[in-house]
Amino acid sequence: MTVTADLYDEHGDALASLPVQLRDFGGVRAFSGPVRTVRCHEDNALVKELTQTPGDGAVLVVDGGGSLRSALMGDLIAAAAVENGWAGAIIHGAIRDSVAIGGLRLGVKALGTNPRKSSKAGAGVVDEPVEIGGVVFRPGAMVYADEDGVLVER
């Protein structure tokens, strides 16, 4: 994968750059793929459900509203994502089991960590555009992530 800085130099404003500072947690630091989205608040049932389906190299973008009160992904969900062919996850919220996730062949970026479980009611929406930090992530758009940040097709 071409690094995000070079991609931006080549394509400029055709790519939106996410200004939110996310931390790298997964065992893969550079990843890319078509966007799939979940919007949820402190409830990871839809994240779990989606990662148990074929990912086909997609990147799951989770708009958790920036909440750090509970984790939206843990090691079991991340392991399911690996098993089902997901390239990575970009989470505007928290994860847990960060050491275990760091050992998986999965790109994971998130705001931070919290050992507290989220609720499991299934509230939220799947595969609708989500906006994080003023950047819109549309299902199917290509997203590119590495140590320098996140770019997505406009």
Side-chain angles (χ1 to χ4, degrees):
M1 185 181 107
T2 305
V3 298
T4 56
D6 292 343
L7 281 169
Y8 192 85
D9 289 349
E10 185 177 336
H11 299 284
D13 286 336
L15 298 170
S17 177
L18 181 66
V20 176
Q21 298 298 297
L22 299 172
R23 294 171 53 193
D24 284 301
F25 291 101
V28 174
R29 300 295 179 164
F31 56 99
S32 63
V35 169
R36 298 283 309 272
T37 65
V38 171
R39 183 184 309 113
C40 56
H41 184 72
E42 299 174 12
D43 182 331
N44 73 351
L46 293 174
V47 175
K48 180 179 181 180
E49 183 179 307
L50 203 51
T51 57
Q52 292 176 342
T53 66
D56 300 320
V59 174
L60 182 59
V61 178
V62 181
D63 178 6
S67 174
L68 296 173
R69 288 189 290 243
S70 63
L72 294 175
M73 176 177 279
D75 61 341
L76 298 178
I77 291 174
V82 171
E83 185 177 316
N84 288 299
W86 292 82
I90 297 168
I91 301 172
H92 191 227
I95 67 158
R96 63 188 225 155
D97 305 313
S98 62
V99 172
I101 288 173
L104 296 175
R105 297 272 323 139
L106 183 70
V108 178
K109 287 184 169 286
L111 287 174
T113 60
N114 189 324
R116 182 174 181 250
K117 290 182 179 183
S118 70
S119 66
K120 313 269 188 262
V125 295
V126 174
D127 285 334
E128 291 186 4
V130 299
E131 185 176 335
I132 300 170
V135 172
V136 176
F137 292 84
R138 293 178 334 277
M142 283 297 294
V143 64
Y144 308 91
D146 65 12
E147 296 88 344
D148 285 339
V150 176
L151 296 173
V152 66
E153 291 177 324
R154 291 187 187 270

